[in-house]
């Protein structure tokens, strides 16, 4: 039975660079996600995490 691993990352796209390595196009992107919660004083606190990713572009 085939097993598929899947990750869904929702956020904001930052920088995008498309380059060619050994004849293949590769995109290097940054995805930023926010986590918002209320702090001890009731004020909203926003934590941002950035995820750099490399994606191979298939022709």
């Amino acid at each position: 039975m085939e097993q598929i691993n899947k990750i869904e990352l929702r956020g904001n796209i930052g920088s995008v660079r498309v380059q060619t390595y050994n004849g293949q196009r590769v995109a290097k992107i940054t995805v930023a996600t926010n986590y918002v919660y209320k702090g001890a004083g009731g004020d909203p606190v926003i934590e941002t995490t950035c995820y750099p990713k490399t994606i191979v572009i298939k022709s």
Side-chain angles (χ1 to χ4, degrees):
M1 182 156 121
E2 183 178 335
Q3 189 174 18
I4 297 175
N5 295 321
K6 180 180 178 180
I7 296 174
E8 186 173 318
L9 187 61
R10 295 182 183 199
N12 299 311
I13 300 291
S15 62
V16 177
R17 288 189 306 159
V18 178
Q19 298 174 331
T20 303
Y21 292 106
N22 297 328
Q24 282 193 316
R25 291 179 52 192
V26 175
K28 293 187 177 187
I29 66 170
T30 303
V31 179
T33 60
N34 292 328
Y35 177 66
V36 182
Y37 60 92
K38 288 188 179 181
D43 296 327
V45 177
I46 302 173
E47 292 182 3
T48 302
T49 305
C50 291
Y51 301 90
K53 297 296 171 195
T54 302
I55 302 169
V56 176
I57 302 170
K58 294 183 178 181
S59 299

